Amino acid sequence: MAVSHISLPRSTTRRSALAAVLPEHGADAIVVSDLVNVRYLSGFTGSNGSVLVWSGDDRDRDRIATDGRYTEQVAAQSPGLDAIIARDTLAALLAAAAGRSGSPRVAFEA
């Protein structure tokens, strides 16, 4: 039997690792806005961006937000994430989180 390996982008496995610890901290999701951490989690290198990472079954709802200057760049550098284009990335990601049914508990990086 041949075994094939699927290579996930490092950013995908990094988001998975972060998502795994969220329940331990009582959070359903986290918003990350430090640009070094945004790059680590998404591969995006622009000067304005934030990432929303969900725990558990909501992982397909992970998002990246940036402003209109980076529309093409975010698509190229973060292909596994749906992008939200907005000037205020934090507000855009919080609105996306609020759109989830229930009352999600969203953490913020220190």
Side-chain angles (χ1 to χ4, degrees), residues 9 11 25-26 45 52 64 95:
S11 57
H25 298 281
T45 61
L52 175 67
I64 186 167

Side-chain angles (χ1 to χ4, degrees), residues 3 5 8-10 12-13 16-17 27 41 43-44 53 59 67 72-73 79-80 83-84 88 100 109-110:
V3 176
H5 296 278
L8 295 174
R10 285 185 185 167
T12 301
T13 56
S16 294
L41 294 170
F44 179 66
V53 177
R59 297 301 320 291
D67 65 56
E72 292 179 17
Q73 182 178 343
I84 299 171
D88 186 345
R100 179 179 181 253
E109 69 182 322

Side-chain angles (χ1 to χ4, degrees), residues 51-64:
V51 175
L52 175 67
V53 177
W54 289 92
S55 66
D57 296 334
D58 288 328
R59 297 301 320 291
D60 62 334
R61 297 181 66 158
D62 289 357
R63 301 286 183 266
I64 186 167

Side-chain angles (χ1 to χ4, degrees), residues 76-101:
Q77 292 181 340
S78 304
L81 288 170
D82 288 337
I84 299 171
I85 305 301
R87 176 173 273 163
D88 186 345
T89 61
L90 181 58
L93 292 178
L94 289 176
R100 179 179 181 253
S101 61

Side-chain angles (χ1 to χ4, degrees), residues 31-40 49-51 109-110:
V31 173
V32 176
S33 58
D34 180 280
L35 291 175
V36 171
N37 296 331
V38 169
R39 182 176 184 176
Y40 183 80
S50 299
V51 175
E109 69 182 322

